[in-house]
Amino acid sequence: MFKVKILQLFDSFVLNTVGPYYRRLGKSLLTQGNDILGSETSDDRLVQCLRQVEAKGHKPQIGDAIFTAPNSVLIGNVILKQNSSIWYGATLRADNNSITVGKNSLIQDNVYIKATKAITVGNNSLVGPNSNLQGCTIGDDAFIGMGSTIKEGANIQGIVAAGSLVPEGTEVKQGEVWAGSPAKYLRDITPQELQILREYKQELLELAQVHGEETSKNFRQIVIDTDERFIKQQRGTEEEALQKIAELNFPLEYEDEEFIEQRVFMKQQPPMFMDSENLKSQQDQYEQDLSQFSENMQKYSEDYQIYEEAKKYFEQNPQAKANQFASKSEIPDDKPWSRKY
């Protein structure tokens, strides 16, 4: 929490003090440089964001859109409703009349819309890439195929195939498929095709949300994402496993961590002792032949078998004496037991 407060104070200081100071300093240096150059001066100017260009007192209203591409051009009285999206290279010119894009509608790449008359794109509609719309009306759930041209006064409520030219004043009713240049009625859309179009629109909506989140990140978020990707590349498999377990809120101690790292390592590597007998039995790679381990492990294994036998005997004969069983061997002191084995 304390670190967050420090970062907030730092951001505020940069925005309110450092930034304006350097801006004033830059303007002063630019003016002095132009005075020195005289007739050779070059008046470079910063171009404003093309997504919001005011024209004739109207400014685009894009606050409800889910995604507006950084290089899209929105001029004048453009209204984007909830979850609408304007993709890369699209141009919407509403300097003479209004352009309204309905809810969940998608204006895809390099679409050109010119409001010679007021243009309305209905809800849940899709305008394909490289299309050209001029003073027309697009209804709800309409689909305009890529590379299509819709002339002034046309009313599109149905489906226009890719590359079609819809003449002025043409009406395409809901459920109809039109195609050609000039476009003519082809047939009615099938329920299967309608379902495919709905699924396609939904996929594009989800993709638009992803693009919107990425293009709206500030400089600090981009730096953090870059650092996280770098750390992930440098992180080993054991560290990833431990981090995943920590995210699941499992309690971890030193011994647990070492055990998990060993399991991860052994899962990646082939069994240490893969002889013909192990291959035939297809045993688990963690259940290895104890004879390959140290002498201590063998001694403990033998004593454990004796313990199991004794336990079973005393359960059946509670009156028996304990001196009937003795350890077969003793563990040498010069090789103490280690949990590493």
Side-chain angles (χ1 to χ4, degrees):
M1 188 66 182
F2 181 70
K3 293 182 178 179
V4 174
K5 287 290 186 182
I6 293 178
L7 290 175
Q8 290 177 349
L9 291 173
F10 177 76
D11 289 342
S12 177
F13 174 73
V14 170
L15 291 174
N16 299 324
T17 305
V18 178
Y21 170 76
Y22 278 103
R23 190 179 184 88
R24 291 192 299 270
L25 179 61
K27 287 183 178 180
S28 176
L29 293 174
L30 176 63
T31 302
Q32 295 177 16
N34 288 336
D35 293 339
I36 294 173
L37 290 174
S39 60
E40 300 295 328
T41 184
S42 176
D43 189 13
D44 298 325
R45 295 185 180 182
L46 179 65
V47 178
Q48 62 175 326
C49 178
L50 297 179
R51 285 182 290 184
Q52 299 186 50
V53 179
E54 185 174 352
K56 297 182 179 180
H58 295 285
K59 190 174 183 179
Q61 303 176 29
I62 66 174
D64 294 333
I66 192 174
F67 168 55
T68 53
N71 64 339
S72 59
V73 181
L74 308 179
I75 303 173
N77 191 13
V78 177
I79 301 174
L80 305 181
K81 294 190 176 180
Q82 186 177 5
N83 291 336
S84 58
S85 58
I86 310 298
W87 288 72
Y88 302 96
T91 301
L92 280 66
R93 281 191 56 186
D95 43 1
N96 292 322
N97 284 287
S98 64
I99 298 176
T100 303
V101 180
K103 297 179 181 179
N104 303 321
S105 291
L106 301 105
I107 309 298
Q108 291 199 282
D109 306 72
N110 299 320
V111 171
Y112 179 73
I113 302 178
K114 184 177 181 180
T116 54
K117 292 183 178 179
I119 295 179
T120 301
V121 178
N123 302 327
N124 306 306
S125 296
L126 186 146
V127 180
N130 299 306
S131 297
N132 189 321
L133 280 61
Q134 301 176 8
C136 57
T137 300
I138 310 298
D140 296 341
D141 300 306
F143 181 88
I144 310 298
M146 67 173 64
S148 299
T149 300
I150 314 298
K151 291 293 186 178
E152 186 173 317
N155 187 355
I156 311 299
Q157 303 292 329
I159 312 299
V160 175
S164 300
L165 171 62
V166 180
E168 297 181 359
T170 304
E171 182 177 359
V172 178
K173 296 181 180 179
Q174 190 172 10
E176 294 181 348
V177 179
W178 286 54
S181 181
K184 295 182 180 180
Y185 171 76
L186 184 63
R187 58 179 174 81
D188 288 344
I189 190 171
T190 64
Q192 293 81 3
E193 292 172 335
L194 189 60
Q195 181 63 27
I196 291 174
L197 289 179
R198 289 174 179 170
E199 293 176 357
Y200 178 59
K201 292 177 186 177
Q202 183 61 34
E203 291 177 0
L204 288 179
L205 277 176
E206 295 174 359
L207 185 60
Q209 183 174 3
V210 174
H211 282 256
E213 292 174 355
E214 290 296 326
T215 55
S216 63
K217 289 181 178 179
N218 57 32
F219 178 75
R220 181 176 295 278
Q221 290 173 326
I222 294 174
V223 172
I224 292 174
D225 290 346
T226 304
D227 291 343
E228 289 179 352
R229 285 195 297 268
F230 178 76
I231 293 173
K232 188 174 182 181
Q233 292 175 357
Q234 299 297 323
R235 183 182 299 143
T237 308
E238 295 85 356
E239 293 180 354
E240 289 184 1
L242 293 173
Q243 182 183 11
K244 187 64 177 179
I245 293 176
E247 291 174 356
L248 296 174
N249 295 324
F250 282 100
L252 285 178
E253 296 180 357
Y254 174 76
E255 295 183 1
D256 299 327
E257 293 180 3
E258 186 170 314
F259 173 73
I260 293 167
E261 290 177 0
Q262 181 67 12
R263 295 278 292 191
V264 173
F265 175 76
M266 294 178 68
K267 190 173 182 180
Q268 288 183 335
Q269 304 296 328
M272 296 174 63
F273 312 103
M274 185 61 77
D275 53 20
S276 59
E277 294 181 359
N278 290 337
L279 287 173
K280 290 180 181 179
S281 62
Q282 295 182 354
Q283 65 178 16
D284 186 358
Q285 58 183 352
Y286 303 117
E287 298 176 359
Q288 300 166 359
D289 186 5
L290 295 180
S291 63
Q292 305 293 336
F293 285 91
S294 66
E295 181 183 355
N296 292 348
M297 174 63 77
Q298 298 180 40
K299 303 299 183 183
Y300 274 100
S301 177
E302 293 173 1
D303 287 346
Y304 187 76
Q305 293 177 2
I306 296 173
Y307 165 76
E308 288 291 334
E309 294 174 3
K311 180 180 179 183
K312 184 177 180 180
Y313 177 81
F314 285 116
E315 288 177 353
Q316 297 175 355
N317 305 280
Q319 303 299 328
K321 296 182 179 180
N323 59 4
Q324 297 184 19
F325 290 87
S327 175
K328 293 182 179 179
S329 59
E330 295 181 359
I331 300 173
D333 295 333
D334 57 337
K335 295 182 179 180
W337 165 258
S338 172
R339 64 183 177 85
K340 295 286 185 181
Y341 298 97

